[in-house]
Amino acid sequence: MKLKKQEIDARMSKLSGWQLAGDSIKKDFKLGDFPAAMGFVVKIALEAERVQHHPDITIEYNRVRIVLTTHSEEGLTTKDFDLAEKIEKFFGA
Amino acid sequence: MKLKKQEIDARMSKLSGWQLAGDSIKKDFKLGDFPAAMGFVVKIALEAERVQHHPDITIEYNRVRIVLTTHSEEGLTTKDFDLAEKIEKFFGA
């Protein structure tokens, strides 16, 4: 179910460095090098497949951009924020 | 060494579906699903690391966009076309 503005604000306030852009949230991560970036992306991909929710992922050498939205709801849902929080854990790990 | 226009045209003519965009070449690939797209990306990543030439890669569910350029030469080199040909083999494999 699509989140209301107030709910989005509440979830955003718990995330660091994520930007709200229309119906999506995004963040650019900087890793040490290309293998580190790919390792991070593979962790995200495995989690994405497990929960059947797939972010857009861009890899530019050691930089990884993640964009999350829920296409079926044409907006942001708890799925987006739950996955964003998991991604933060992978980045910190 | 940066390729001349004539050399670029010759290499482009051997590639199918790649577009010349300024100092880069790019192609959008469509795979069966997200795991297939990720498998394709991992193959590309391993080859990129082996040859130390790293394309920009965007994954949107079952679609993979590859952009190749040689930053150090501010243009296209044989590295870009050699990797593009390898990527075609991975896609066809």
Side-chain angles (χ1 to χ4, degrees):
Chain A
M1 202 167 60
K2 202 169 157 173
L3 295 176
K4 293 182 178 67
K5 190 187 175 304
Q6 201 171 1
E7 295 166 318
I8 290 170
D9 290 346
R11 295 295 302 256
M12 281 299 283
S13 72
K14 292 179 191 166
L15 287 172
S16 174
W18 288 78
Q19 282 185 298
L20 193 60
D23 285 338
S24 66
I25 55 171
K26 62 179 181 179
K27 184 171 176 177
D28 293 332
F29 295 88
K30 193 176 174 186
L31 287 291
D33 54 17
F34 181 75
M38 275 305 304
F40 180 50
V41 167
V42 168
K43 283 182 196 168
I44 294 168
L46 293 170
E47 178 64 12
E49 192 58 16
R50 190 182 71 81
V51 298
Q52 286 295 299
H53 190 60
H54 304 87
D56 293 347
I57 304 168
T58 298
I59 308 150
E60 294 182 15
Y61 191 61
N62 65 332
R63 290 166 194 275
V64 176
R65 165 168 290 195
I66 301 295
V67 181
L68 279 161
T69 188
T70 304
H71 294 290
S72 59
E73 300 286 337
E74 294 180 350
L76 288 161
T77 66
T78 54
K79 282 185 177 183
D80 298 305
F81 289 98
D82 292 350
L83 188 49
E85 287 171 5
K86 274 281 172 70
I87 289 169
E88 286 295 320
K89 282 187 187 168
F90 296 148
F91 187 65
Chain B
M1 202 166 60
K2 201 169 155 173
L3 296 175
K4 293 182 179 66
K5 191 189 175 303
Q6 201 172 0
E7 295 166 318
I8 290 170
D9 290 347
R11 296 294 303 256
M12 280 300 283
S13 71
K14 292 179 190 164
L15 287 174
S16 175
W18 288 77
Q19 283 185 299
L20 193 60
D23 284 339
S24 66
I25 54 172
K26 63 179 180 177
K27 183 170 176 178
D28 293 330
F29 294 89
K30 192 177 173 185
L31 286 293
D33 54 17
F34 181 75
M38 275 304 303
F40 179 50
V41 166
V42 168
K43 284 181 193 168
I44 294 167
L46 292 170
E47 178 64 13
E49 192 59 15
R50 190 182 72 83
V51 298
Q52 286 295 299
H53 191 58
H54 304 87
D56 293 347
I57 303 169
T58 299
I59 307 151
E60 294 182 14
Y61 191 60
N62 65 332
R63 291 166 195 275
V64 177
R65 166 168 288 195
I66 302 295
V67 181
L68 279 161
T69 188
T70 305
H71 294 289
S72 59
E73 300 286 337
E74 294 180 351
L76 288 161
T77 65
T78 54
K79 281 185 178 182
D80 298 305
F81 289 100
D82 293 349
L83 188 49
E85 287 171 6
K86 274 281 172 70
I87 289 169
E88 286 295 321
K89 282 186 187 167
F90 297 149
F91 186 65

